[in-house]
Structure formats: structure tokens, C-alpha cells
Amino acid sequence: MQVVHRIADLQDVLAGASLRAFVPTMGNLHEGHLDLMQRARKEVDVRVGAAGKTVASIFVNRLQFGPHEDFDTYPRTLENDCALLAAHGCDVVFAPSEKDLYPEPQWFKLHPPAELADILEGAFRPGFFVGVSTVVHKLFNIVQPQLAVFGKKDYQQLMVIRRMVQQMALPIEIIGAETRRAKDGLALSSRNGYLSEAERAEAVHLSLALKALAATVLEANGKANLDVAAAEEAAMQSLRSRGWQPDYLSLRMQHDLSPVTWPCQQPMVVLGAAKLGKTRLIDNLEF
Ligand code: PAF
């Protein structure tokens, strides 16, 4: 596996690869990321074998962090990340410095539409999806992948990226990979590392609250009425009573994340974000 930091070096290393399968990350990798890399590896092996290359980027993107968020303290663990990637089918790691990726302030930015980017995560993290779309678009231009793998844990991010690729006519296939969970059901996340032992034991309750909300919705199937707002509020209250500070637990349509109007026969998803102590966790469940 090769590790490169400069854009020009990346172009050299990737020259001639007939298929480039890309996994963008911010590092501090866990098994969820490694699943994404293994998926990229499998796609390359099945489609073109040795003629293709898998690429992971490691870059903590300042543009997607709010002023009071954890940009400065976000764990930078390059050496360990590279060892993990090498063991999970990665051919090339692209780990640019801020100067390489943003040699001057990034004046041009991609603004996803408000109805997709200013709801849910975007409502609580203003500018987050502008930062994500801008860096992912830039990384796509640099890596020039034919396919890219993103995790479904960041459900709204995956949808924003899919729409960006579609609207900007980027010739990239986007693959959404299932969320990897710990034994107790907690979705793996780099931010789980911030949790104390007691918080870690409690953390699964975000996914349990989402499951309970989905169960309430499924029970209402076939019935004329479901008070969606009341069901969402009850789910948030169940977390509050355990000491969480929920930002949202919300029932949405899978295809565009718009609110559900009842009765609903189409695929739905519940998404949630909540703070446990100082750590903000997100999760979702499709049904
Ligand atoms: O999901 C992430 O780790 C980041 O948002 C991404 C896609 C690497 C962009 O910085």
C-alpha cells in the first residue's frame, strides 16, 4: 500500500488504473470504515481484478465543522489508520495536509438544496453539508474514481452525495454500505471514543429509541391515524428521561427525507441525533 500526501503524487500512483474505487474518510478508523474499504476492494476485484485500485482519503475537513465543534480535538491517528487500511485491501491512501487541499481559502463552495441540507443534521449543524459536498466534490475531482463507497450511518450525507453526483453529472457510482454495529447494537462511530464507560453502556439507547419509534409506526400500519409529531416527541422524551439531550428523532420518507404524511405505504426511515454528555451521536433505521 502506498501513502501519498500531494495531489500530483496521487495522480502518478493512480495513473493507468482502469477502475478507481474510493472511500473518503476523516481517519480515526473503526470497523465500519474497514467494511467500506473491503466493499471497495471486492468491487475492484470482481470487476477488473489487478487492473484496478482502491483509494482511501484521510482528511479532517475544517469546512464541515461548526465553530464550537470538535475540529481541533478530532483524533488524528494516521499511522494506525494506514496499518488498518493496509490489512483491509487498500492500495493507496491519500492523506493531504490542509495546505495541499486548501492552498487558499475555499471561496467556491457547493450549496446543496435547502430542502435536503437544511433539515435534520443541517438544521443543527448549519453549513455542514456545504462543507461535506465541497470537500467530496473536490476529492472526486482529484481521485477521479468510477465508484465511491459511503456508509449508511450518515444517511443524510449519503443522500446529499447521491444528489450531488446526479445533478453535477459526475460519472461516479455511489454505493451505500450498511451500518456496522457493536454487539449491543450501537452504531460504530469515531465519536464513540469520546464516551466514558458509563456513557458507552448507555449509548445503545439511541438505536433502541429509534427502534421503538419504528415499531410505533409499524403498529399504526393499516390504521387511518398516526400522530407522527406525538410519536417523535415520545421517542425524544424517552431519551430525555435517561439523561440525553436529543436534537431530533424523526420519521421521514426514504427516497427524499421529506416528512411522512399518514397513511404511508412507501419505505420510511427514522433518523436521530442526540447528545450524551458532551458526545453527539447519530443513527437511523430503514423500514
Ligand atoms: O463521513 C465522513 O467521514 C466525512 O463527512 C467525509 C465524507 C469524509 C467528508 O469529509
Side-chain angles (χ1 to χ4, degrees):
M1 188 185 80
Q2 285 166 292
V3 182
V4 297
H5 302 281
R6 314 281 301 272
I7 295 173
D9 296 338
L10 183 73
Q11 316 289 15
D12 288 347
V13 165
L14 291 178
S18 69
L19 177 68
R20 300 168 181 193
F22 181 39
V23 179
T25 81
M26 296 204 302
N28 193 26
L29 304 182
H30 51 69
E31 283 166 33
H33 294 110
L34 301 174
D35 283 352
L36 307 185
M37 177 43 69
Q38 279 176 323
R39 178 66 188 273
R41 176 81 265 156
K42 192 173 141 212
E43 295 296 332
V44 167
D45 289 349
V46 166
R47 295 181 195 204
V48 300
K53 285 211 157 110
T54 58
V55 188
S57 64
I58 297 179
F59 181 69
V60 185
N61 173 38
R62 184 188 292 276
L63 287 190
Q64 71 191 69
F65 286 78
H68 305 295
E69 293 185 351
D70 52 346
F71 174 77
D72 289 327
T73 52
Y74 200 87
R76 272 85 167 164
T77 51
L78 183 63
E79 210 176 309
N80 190 48
D81 291 343
C82 287
L84 290 170
L85 286 167
H88 289 82
C90 183
D91 293 319
V92 181
V93 174
F94 176 49
S97 70
E98 274 205 288
K99 275 228 161 78
D100 288 308
L101 212 60
Y102 299 131
E104 54 186 17
Q106 185 69 31
W107 293 299
F108 284 83
K109 291 183 182 153
L110 255 146
H111 288 260
E115 62 270 25
L116 188 55
D118 292 359
I119 59 169
L120 303 169
E121 280 303 280
F124 289 89
R125 304 185 67 188
F128 174 68
F129 290 112
V130 173
V132 168
S133 310
T134 303
V135 79
V136 171
H137 194 275
K138 193 159 185 172
L139 288 167
F140 281 173
N141 282 334
I142 293 166
V143 176
Q144 299 194 5
Q146 285 74 34
L147 73 87
V149 189
F150 290 83
K152 277 196 190 176
K153 180 179 157 273
D154 296 297
Y155 201 85
Q156 192 177 0
Q157 167 173 285
L158 174 60
M159 187 162 293
V160 167
I161 302 295
R162 282 194 195 285
R163 290 287 161 80
M164 176 185 83
V165 162
Q166 181 198 340
Q167 285 237 320
M168 306 307 276
L170 303 179
I172 304 171
E173 178 184 339
I174 302 297
I175 295 177
E178 294 304 324
T179 301
R180 170 72 87 103
R181 293 179 184 277
K183 276 208 182 96
D184 66 349
L186 173 67
L188 295 195
S189 161
S190 299
R191 290 188 169 101
N192 292 352
Y194 297 156
L195 299 167
S196 68
E197 208 176 309
E199 288 169 344
R200 172 61 192 85
E202 171 63 26
V204 69
H205 283 273
L206 174 58
S207 121
L208 294 179
L210 289 170
K211 270 191 188 155
L213 176 54
T216 305
V217 176
L218 287 170
E219 272 163 33
N221 233 346
K223 295 184 191 158
N225 267 328
L226 168 68
D227 187 339
V228 173
E232 291 171 342
E233 179 51 33
M236 289 202 279
Q237 193 47 43
S238 75
L239 282 181
R240 276 187 211 109
S241 68
R242 306 187 61 88
W244 293 69
Q245 297 159 265
D247 283 345
Y248 61 85
L249 268 77
S250 189
L251 172 68
R252 300 283 166 146
M253 304 299 294
Q254 265 185 39
H255 73 279
D256 63 357
L257 294 184
S258 62
V260 166
T261 45
W262 203 254
C264 175
Q265 302 302 331
Q266 280 160 23
M268 290 173 269
V269 56
V270 282
L271 305 100
K275 259 184 154 179
L276 185 56
K278 291 198 162 97
T279 308
R280 188 173 181 278
L281 300 176
I282 63 170
D283 201 353
N284 64 77
L285 178 67
E286 293 177 308
F287 61 100

